[in-house]
Amino acid sequence: MKISRRLLLGSVSALTILSVLGVKPGHAHMKVGSTQSDRKLIASMVRAMFPHDRFPDGPYLRTADAIIAKANGSTASALTLRAGLADLKSKSFENLGKSAATQYLKDIEGSPFFSLVHGTTVTGLYTDKEVFRILGYEEASYDKGGYINRGFNDLNWLPEPRIEEHPDLAAFLSGKPKQYASATKLNAS
Amino acid sequence: MKKIDKNEEAVIVIGSGAGGGTMVYELTKAGIPVVCLEAGAFIKPEEYVNDEWPSFVQMAWLDKRTTSGNWRVAKDFPGLPTWLVKAVGGTTTHWAGATPRFLEYEFKTQTTYGDIAGASLLDWPISLDDMESYYDKAEDAIGSTHTNGRPPLAANNNYKVFANGAKNVGYKFYATGPYGTNAVPYDGRPGSIHDGFNFQGDKHTSKWNTAVREIPRALATGLLDLRPESHVVKITHDKSGRVDAVLYVDKEGNLHRQAAKVVCVAGNSIETPRLLLLSESSTFPNGLANSSDQVGRNYMRHMTGSMYARFDKPVNFYRGETMAGFIADEVMHDANRGFAGGYYMETLALGPAFMAAFLDPGGWGEKFTAMMDGYENLAGMWLVGEDMPQSNNRVTLSASAKDQWDLPAPNVHFDDHPNDIAMRNYAYEKAEQLYKAVGAVQTYRTPPYPSTHNLGTCRMSAKAQDGVVDKWGRAHDVNNLFVSDGSVMTTGAAANPTLTIVALAIRQADYLASELKKGNI
Ligand SMILES: Cc1cc2nc3c(=O)[nH]c(=O)nc-3n(C[C@H](O)[C@H](O)[C@H](O)COP(=O)(O)OP(=O)(O)OC[C@H]3O[C@@H](n4cnc5c(N)ncnc54)[C@H](O)[C@@H]3O)c2cc1C
């Protein structure tokens, strides 16, 4: 099996890749979850699972797209998505309150559908550039000269700590260990 | 670059990471021509990527692997037991840089701790005395801060939280190192610009790795024949049982044979035992160098865990050197704590991408998102301590799973020892106290990541029946076969392993060079 770099880098995440390594999924030509309302429904499920008041809909919708794309990568996962969507609809998931939605997710936790949505979200939602910005993460730094002049040490709500080793360190490290009790006994208890 | 004929019986080093890269440089420096076979490509610093998943995909070892045992990694990352790198430079491209030495008694834990049920403890056949001068050399090679007059790195924000917490709970032994990244220009490489991304490869080259120091220098001697994208699949031997060649696959999938005078295996603690097991023959049906049945056993990965803490003020912990923060107060064995051995606390930061994947694999809901949402206000540390070697924690050849060459994939079996669990729980509590002492509003106990420290699967032993290699790293069974990486560790100590791997390799290269010059091999 040859995995091309483009294939690896082009997909949503390495974890997703790892889950497909070694598998050549057979693949029916049918796209599940292609309507706007499916997309929104999945996004609402992702938001219930990973609620961030500060996040607008964009990152959640893009994550939903990644989930749909992932699911359509094999017949089996497309069927998983199809069944999952049907269940969300039958439970009117979008209209459930917060605690009912959480309860629903708890009930299906560990199911293939839950795992599909969860796994893709972990590596999709939290690699979204807009999310990076909202969380205050500054991304690549080398091309900006690192953080040496951009706040690597700008924390000012604590005193400046010592950075050198304590003068007693060498003596401490060459000291004899304490053997008050036999570790064997302690482990057995 | 030197070209060594495939029929010439060469000194061959397999792998170019901490152990292999060091061997290659030390041997060529001593005037010995070397063929280095490295499975990965030669990726240069300018190609390293400041982005977590793309960097991982660029360099991590993603060949098929399987897991078993009760460790949480087998559940969270069943196909990814380790975080290792396949590239020239090996895992030193992604390493952080923490470089503590072993303590004196950590070379004799069987004697110090006594028998511990279920543990296969064994004293090393060497002592700290044997290692001291090699530790000096390794620190100079790596450029460890705080040692031999090298200055400490400046405190970054994560360290400020960590060190103040340490002080508040009464710890004394905190500092920003020892750390394998230049605080100031050293050894022809620049001082740090605190650019973070230690785990993605340092584009600025302030961080030591064998792809920026040992390999280029070995090439400059004119004695190194470096063959990247050359994956060794078998070591063969002659009738007398001496190793006589290695077989390797190039990137197109073609098989080659290189004749061998000496073979040094440094493929890391998973691939090294796997290769020895794959090298079985009618003479050695259980694998090469495995008459003791110890190849692949006693796999260690350190007791690990992480503690992340959220504050009500900004930290921006991802800025600066990722692991330049050290607390040694808990390292000393003290059986009164309810476990054997000790551990270090070290600063740690992840970007949101890795944080989401590793904070709490499988986690979701408000407790999880509160941490992610407070990303700017997070501080973090890694807990790393000695784990117990166990005979059944082992690397074996899978009966069913195959790699890309259709060869049996390695299975990594690991059960936590009760001692590992007791130490981890104790360490989590201490870490929580530390962060609460500087005002943490939420703390999170993060379980172990795929193993970054992989040790012990070809361990050193005085007696042939107890291990795989002798005190020089030479196979007990095969006179011209050496193991030159972290697999040789008899026990793991609390220390991050790389300084010791490099020191052992320098020592082994000295020995091998003198044996070769004397004509003893
Ligand atoms: C994120 C991260 C952070 C770390 N931080 C620290 C730290 O702060 N301090 C510390 O001490 N350690 C740290 N480590 C661990 C450190 O990187 C390893 O201990 C060290 O690199 C191991 O050296 P090695 O020679 O055993 O193997 P490696 O460095 O892994 O080298 C093995 C090489 O062999 C090659 N290879 C394997 N099989 C074959 C084959 N069959 N044919 C040809 N080539 C092969 C591989 O491609 C690889 O290049 C860290 C690791 C990671 C992943």
PDB file of all heavy atoms in Angstrom, chain A residues 58-84:
ATOM      1  N   GLY A  58     -19.869  29.073  12.096  1.00  0.00           N
ATOM      2  CA  GLY A  58     -18.930  28.692  11.033  1.00  0.00           C
ATOM      3  C   GLY A  58     -18.081  27.473  11.361  1.00  0.00           C
ATOM      4  O   GLY A  58     -18.096  26.478  10.614  1.00  0.00           O
ATOM      5  N   PRO A  59     -17.329  27.497  12.463  1.00  0.00           N
ATOM      6  CA  PRO A  59     -16.482  26.338  12.773  1.00  0.00           C
ATOM      7  C   PRO A  59     -17.281  25.051  12.951  1.00  0.00           C
ATOM      8  O   PRO A  59     -16.826  23.972  12.533  1.00  0.00           O
ATOM      9  CB  PRO A  59     -15.806  26.733  14.085  1.00  0.00           C
ATOM     10  CG  PRO A  59     -15.871  28.224  14.142  1.00  0.00           C
ATOM     11  CD  PRO A  59     -17.102  28.617  13.389  1.00  0.00           C
ATOM     12  N   TYR A  60     -18.462  25.157  13.545  1.00  0.00           N
ATOM     13  CA  TYR A  60     -19.281  23.953  13.732  1.00  0.00           C
ATOM     14  C   TYR A  60     -19.767  23.414  12.382  1.00  0.00           C
ATOM     15  O   TYR A  60     -19.809  22.207  12.158  1.00  0.00           O
ATOM     16  CB  TYR A  60     -20.477  24.260  14.648  1.00  0.00           C
ATOM     17  CG  TYR A  60     -20.082  24.436  16.105  1.00  0.00           C
ATOM     18  CD1 TYR A  60     -20.142  25.678  16.730  1.00  0.00           C
ATOM     19  CD2 TYR A  60     -19.644  23.345  16.860  1.00  0.00           C
ATOM     20  CE1 TYR A  60     -19.784  25.839  18.064  1.00  0.00           C
ATOM     21  CE2 TYR A  60     -19.281  23.495  18.202  1.00  0.00           C
ATOM     22  CZ  TYR A  60     -19.352  24.743  18.802  1.00  0.00           C
ATOM     23  OH  TYR A  60     -18.997  24.887  20.107  1.00  0.00           O
ATOM     24  N   LEU A  61     -20.142  24.323  11.482  1.00  0.00           N
ATOM     25  CA  LEU A  61     -20.596  23.877  10.155  1.00  0.00           C
ATOM     26  C   LEU A  61     -19.447  23.252   9.367  1.00  0.00           C
ATOM     27  O   LEU A  61     -19.618  22.242   8.684  1.00  0.00           O
ATOM     28  CB  LEU A  61     -21.203  25.054   9.381  1.00  0.00           C
ATOM     29  CG  LEU A  61     -22.597  25.486   9.876  1.00  0.00           C
ATOM     30  CD1 LEU A  61     -22.988  26.845   9.296  1.00  0.00           C
ATOM     31  CD2 LEU A  61     -23.656  24.433   9.529  1.00  0.00           C
ATOM     32  N   ARG A  62     -18.267  23.846   9.472  1.00  0.00           N
ATOM     33  CA  ARG A  62     -17.114  23.263   8.763  1.00  0.00           C
ATOM     34  C   ARG A  62     -16.775  21.879   9.327  1.00  0.00           C
ATOM     35  O   ARG A  62     -16.373  20.966   8.601  1.00  0.00           O
ATOM     36  CB  ARG A  62     -15.908  24.199   8.853  1.00  0.00           C
ATOM     37  CG  ARG A  62     -16.053  25.421   7.961  1.00  0.00           C
ATOM     38  CD  ARG A  62     -14.758  26.225   7.857  1.00  0.00           C
ATOM     39  NE  ARG A  62     -14.444  26.989   9.060  1.00  0.00           N
ATOM     40  CZ  ARG A  62     -14.952  28.199   9.352  1.00  0.00           C
ATOM     41  NH1 ARG A  62     -15.812  28.776   8.544  1.00  0.00           N
ATOM     42  NH2 ARG A  62     -14.593  28.824  10.460  1.00  0.00           N
ATOM     43  N   THR A  63     -16.945  21.738  10.644  1.00  0.00           N
ATOM     44  CA  THR A  63     -16.721  20.421  11.245  1.00  0.00           C
ATOM     45  C   THR A  63     -17.762  19.427  10.731  1.00  0.00           C
ATOM     46  O   THR A  63     -17.436  18.272  10.430  1.00  0.00           O
ATOM     47  CB  THR A  63     -16.767  20.521  12.776  1.00  0.00           C
ATOM     48  OG1 THR A  63     -15.807  21.491  13.197  1.00  0.00           O
ATOM     49  CG2 THR A  63     -16.450  19.186  13.433  1.00  0.00           C
ATOM     50  N   ALA A  64     -19.004  19.894  10.622  1.00  0.00           N
ATOM     51  CA  ALA A  64     -20.059  19.026  10.076  1.00  0.00           C
ATOM     52  C   ALA A  64     -19.681  18.573   8.666  1.00  0.00           C
ATOM     53  O   ALA A  64     -19.839  17.395   8.310  1.00  0.00           O
ATOM     54  CB  ALA A  64     -21.396  19.759  10.071  1.00  0.00           C
ATOM     55  N   ASP A  65     -19.142  19.484   7.876  1.00  0.00           N
ATOM     56  CA  ASP A  65     -18.713  19.116   6.510  1.00  0.00           C
ATOM     57  C   ASP A  65     -17.632  18.033   6.551  1.00  0.00           C
ATOM     58  O   ASP A  65     -17.634  17.106   5.737  1.00  0.00           O
ATOM     59  CB  ASP A  65     -18.163  20.343   5.769  1.00  0.00           C
ATOM     60  CG  ASP A  65     -19.261  21.364   5.467  1.00  0.00           C
ATOM     61  OD1 ASP A  65     -20.451  20.970   5.475  1.00  0.00           O
ATOM     62  OD2 ASP A  65     -18.928  22.543   5.234  1.00  0.00           O
ATOM     63  N   ALA A  66     -16.712  18.180   7.486  1.00  0.00           N
ATOM     64  CA  ALA A  66     -15.638  17.187   7.595  1.00  0.00           C
ATOM     65  C   ALA A  66     -16.208  15.826   7.985  1.00  0.00           C
ATOM     66  O   ALA A  66     -15.760  14.786   7.491  1.00  0.00           O
ATOM     67  CB  ALA A  66     -14.598  17.646   8.620  1.00  0.00           C
ATOM     68  N   ILE A  67     -17.202  15.853   8.862  1.00  0.00           N
ATOM     69  CA  ILE A  67     -17.835  14.592   9.291  1.00  0.00           C
ATOM     70  C   ILE A  67     -18.545  13.934   8.103  1.00  0.00           C
ATOM     71  O   ILE A  67     -18.411  12.724   7.875  1.00  0.00           O
ATOM     72  CB  ILE A  67     -18.826  14.858  10.450  1.00  0.00           C
ATOM     73  CG1 ILE A  67     -18.050  15.283  11.703  1.00  0.00           C
ATOM     74  CG2 ILE A  67     -19.699  13.636  10.727  1.00  0.00           C
ATOM     75  CD1 ILE A  67     -18.895  15.929  12.783  1.00  0.00           C
ATOM     76  N   ILE A  68     -19.257  14.759   7.338  1.00  0.00           N
ATOM     77  CA  ILE A  68     -19.984  14.222   6.172  1.00  0.00           C
ATOM     78  C   ILE A  68     -18.987  13.645   5.159  1.00  0.00           C
ATOM     79  O   ILE A  68     -19.178  12.547   4.628  1.00  0.00           O
ATOM     80  CB  ILE A  68     -20.866  15.320   5.537  1.00  0.00           C
ATOM     81  CG1 ILE A  68     -21.992  15.702   6.517  1.00  0.00           C
ATOM     82  CG2 ILE A  68     -21.455  14.854   4.205  1.00  0.00           C
ATOM     83  CD1 ILE A  68     -22.673  17.034   6.215  1.00  0.00           C
ATOM     84  N   ALA A  69     -17.903  14.368   4.934  1.00  0.00           N
ATOM     85  CA  ALA A  69     -16.897  13.893   3.978  1.00  0.00           C
ATOM     86  C   ALA A  69     -16.272  12.591   4.456  1.00  0.00           C
ATOM     87  O   ALA A  69     -16.110  11.632   3.694  1.00  0.00           O
ATOM     88  CB  ALA A  69     -15.813  14.957   3.785  1.00  0.00           C
ATOM     89  N   LYS A  70     -15.937  12.562   5.722  1.00  0.00           N
ATOM     90  CA  LYS A  70     -15.340  11.344   6.302  1.00  0.00           C
ATOM     91  C   LYS A  70     -16.304  10.175   6.160  1.00  0.00           C
ATOM     92  O   LYS A  70     -15.928   9.073   5.740  1.00  0.00           O
ATOM     93  CB  LYS A  70     -15.008  11.614   7.774  1.00  0.00           C
ATOM     94  CG  LYS A  70     -14.658  10.396   8.601  1.00  0.00           C
ATOM     95  CD  LYS A  70     -13.158  10.201   8.663  1.00  0.00           C
ATOM     96  CE  LYS A  70     -12.741   8.793   9.016  1.00  0.00           C
ATOM     97  NZ  LYS A  70     -13.195   8.279  10.292  1.00  0.00           N
ATOM     98  N   ALA A  71     -17.571  10.409   6.527  1.00  0.00           N
ATOM     99  CA  ALA A  71     -18.565   9.336   6.507  1.00  0.00           C
ATOM    100  C   ALA A  71     -18.747   8.790   5.101  1.00  0.00           C
ATOM    101  O   ALA A  71     -18.913   7.585   4.911  1.00  0.00           O
ATOM    102  CB  ALA A  71     -19.889   9.839   7.069  1.00  0.00           C
ATOM    103  N   ASN A  72     -18.684   9.677   4.116  1.00  0.00           N
ATOM    104  CA  ASN A  72     -18.900   9.218   2.743  1.00  0.00           C
ATOM    105  C   ASN A  72     -17.673   8.534   2.143  1.00  0.00           C
ATOM    106  O   ASN A  72     -17.685   8.122   0.994  1.00  0.00           O
ATOM    107  CB  ASN A  72     -19.380  10.373   1.869  1.00  0.00           C
ATOM    108  CG  ASN A  72     -20.870  10.635   2.081  1.00  0.00           C
ATOM    109  OD1 ASN A  72     -21.715   9.882   1.618  1.00  0.00           O
ATOM    110  ND2 ASN A  72     -21.188  11.675   2.849  1.00  0.00           N
ATOM    111  N   GLY A  73     -16.622   8.404   2.932  1.00  0.00           N
ATOM    112  CA  GLY A  73     -15.414   7.724   2.470  1.00  0.00           C
ATOM    113  C   GLY A  73     -15.580   6.214   2.367  1.00  0.00           C
ATOM    114  O   GLY A  73     -14.790   5.552   1.713  1.00  0.00           O
ATOM    115  N   SER A  74     -16.548   5.655   3.051  1.00  0.00           N
ATOM    116  CA  SER A  74     -16.791   4.217   2.903  1.00  0.00           C
ATOM    117  C   SER A  74     -18.283   3.945   3.026  1.00  0.00           C
ATOM    118  O   SER A  74     -19.023   4.718   3.633  1.00  0.00           O
ATOM    119  CB  SER A  74     -16.028   3.415   3.962  1.00  0.00           C
ATOM    120  OG  SER A  74     -16.776   3.340   5.159  1.00  0.00           O
ATOM    121  N   THR A  75     -18.693   2.856   2.454  1.00  0.00           N
ATOM    122  CA  THR A  75     -20.116   2.511   2.504  1.00  0.00           C
ATOM    123  C   THR A  75     -20.563   2.312   3.948  1.00  0.00           C
ATOM    124  O   THR A  75     -21.612   2.808   4.365  1.00  0.00           O
ATOM    125  CB  THR A  75     -20.376   1.221   1.698  1.00  0.00           C
ATOM    126  OG1 THR A  75     -19.868   1.426   0.382  1.00  0.00           O
ATOM    127  CG2 THR A  75     -21.854   0.892   1.646  1.00  0.00           C
ATOM    128  N   ALA A  76     -19.747   1.633   4.721  1.00  0.00           N
ATOM    129  CA  ALA A  76     -20.139   1.334   6.101  1.00  0.00           C
ATOM    130  C   ALA A  76     -20.355   2.619   6.896  1.00  0.00           C
ATOM    131  O   ALA A  76     -21.357   2.769   7.601  1.00  0.00           O
ATOM    132  CB  ALA A  76     -19.081   0.471   6.764  1.00  0.00           C
ATOM    133  N   SER A  77     -19.415   3.577   6.772  1.00  0.00           N
ATOM    134  CA  SER A  77     -19.586   4.778   7.583  1.00  0.00           C
ATOM    135  C   SER A  77     -20.688   5.672   7.016  1.00  0.00           C
ATOM    136  O   SER A  77     -21.346   6.398   7.763  1.00  0.00           O
ATOM    137  CB  SER A  77     -18.254   5.525   7.751  1.00  0.00           C
ATOM    138  OG  SER A  77     -17.694   5.825   6.500  1.00  0.00           O
ATOM    139  N   ALA A  78     -20.937   5.587   5.701  1.00  0.00           N
ATOM    140  CA  ALA A  78     -22.067   6.334   5.134  1.00  0.00           C
ATOM    141  C   ALA A  78     -23.379   5.806   5.719  1.00  0.00           C
ATOM    142  O   ALA A  78     -24.285   6.572   6.054  1.00  0.00           O
ATOM    143  CB  ALA A  78     -22.070   6.219   3.607  1.00  0.00           C
ATOM    144  N   LEU A  79     -23.446   4.493   5.889  1.00  0.00           N
ATOM    145  CA  LEU A  79     -24.656   3.908   6.492  1.00  0.00           C
ATOM    146  C   LEU A  79     -24.784   4.331   7.957  1.00  0.00           C
ATOM    147  O   LEU A  79     -25.884   4.594   8.453  1.00  0.00           O
ATOM    148  CB  LEU A  79     -24.622   2.380   6.381  1.00  0.00           C
ATOM    149  CG  LEU A  79     -24.768   1.820   4.961  1.00  0.00           C
ATOM    150  CD1 LEU A  79     -24.620   0.297   4.961  1.00  0.00           C
ATOM    151  CD2 LEU A  79     -26.113   2.229   4.342  1.00  0.00           C
ATOM    152  N   THR A  80     -23.639   4.410   8.634  1.00  0.00           N
ATOM    153  CA  THR A  80     -23.641   4.870  10.028  1.00  0.00           C
ATOM    154  C   THR A  80     -24.199   6.283  10.113  1.00  0.00           C
ATOM    155  O   THR A  80     -25.037   6.591  10.967  1.00  0.00           O
ATOM    156  CB  THR A  80     -22.194   4.846  10.586  1.00  0.00           C
ATOM    157  OG1 THR A  80     -21.733   3.501  10.573  1.00  0.00           O
ATOM    158  CG2 THR A  80     -22.132   5.403  11.995  1.00  0.00           C
ATOM    159  N   LEU A  81     -23.731   7.138   9.220  1.00  0.00           N
ATOM    160  CA  LEU A  81     -24.204   8.525   9.225  1.00  0.00           C
ATOM    161  C   LEU A  81     -25.700   8.588   8.915  1.00  0.00           C
ATOM    162  O   LEU A  81     -26.456   9.326   9.557  1.00  0.00           O
ATOM    163  CB  LEU A  81     -23.409   9.346   8.196  1.00  0.00           C
ATOM    164  CG  LEU A  81     -23.846  10.806   8.031  1.00  0.00           C
ATOM    165  CD1 LEU A  81     -23.657  11.587   9.331  1.00  0.00           C
ATOM    166  CD2 LEU A  81     -23.064  11.489   6.904  1.00  0.00           C
ATOM    167  N   ARG A  82     -26.107   7.780   7.949  1.00  0.00           N
ATOM    168  CA  ARG A  82     -27.512   7.779   7.545  1.00  0.00           C
ATOM    169  C   ARG A  82     -28.413   7.415   8.731  1.00  0.00           C
ATOM    170  O   ARG A  82     -29.384   8.108   9.035  1.00  0.00           O
ATOM    171  CB  ARG A  82     -27.680   6.754   6.410  1.00  0.00           C
ATOM    172  CG  ARG A  82     -28.988   6.784   5.698  1.00  0.00           C
ATOM    173  CD  ARG A  82     -28.902   5.883   4.460  1.00  0.00           C
ATOM    174  NE  ARG A  82     -30.127   5.956   3.690  1.00  0.00           N
ATOM    175  CZ  ARG A  82     -31.185   5.201   3.948  1.00  0.00           C
ATOM    176  NH1 ARG A  82     -31.166   4.339   4.947  1.00  0.00           N
ATOM    177  NH2 ARG A  82     -32.278   5.332   3.207  1.00  0.00           N
ATOM    178  N   ALA A  83     -28.025   6.345   9.434  1.00  0.00           N
ATOM    179  CA  ALA A  83     -28.824   5.908  10.584  1.00  0.00           C
ATOM    180  C   ALA A  83     -28.769   6.949  11.707  1.00  0.00           C
ATOM    181  O   ALA A  83     -29.775   7.237  12.367  1.00  0.00           O
ATOM    182  CB  ALA A  83     -28.310   4.562  11.079  1.00  0.00           C
ATOM    183  N   GLY A  84     -27.592   7.518  11.902  1.00  0.00           N
ATOM    184  CA  GLY A  84     -27.437   8.519  12.961  1.00  0.00           C
ATOM    185  C   GLY A  84     -28.300   9.741  12.706  1.00  0.00           C
ATOM    186  O   GLY A  84     -28.969  10.252  13.612  1.00  0.00           O
TER     187      GLY A  84
END
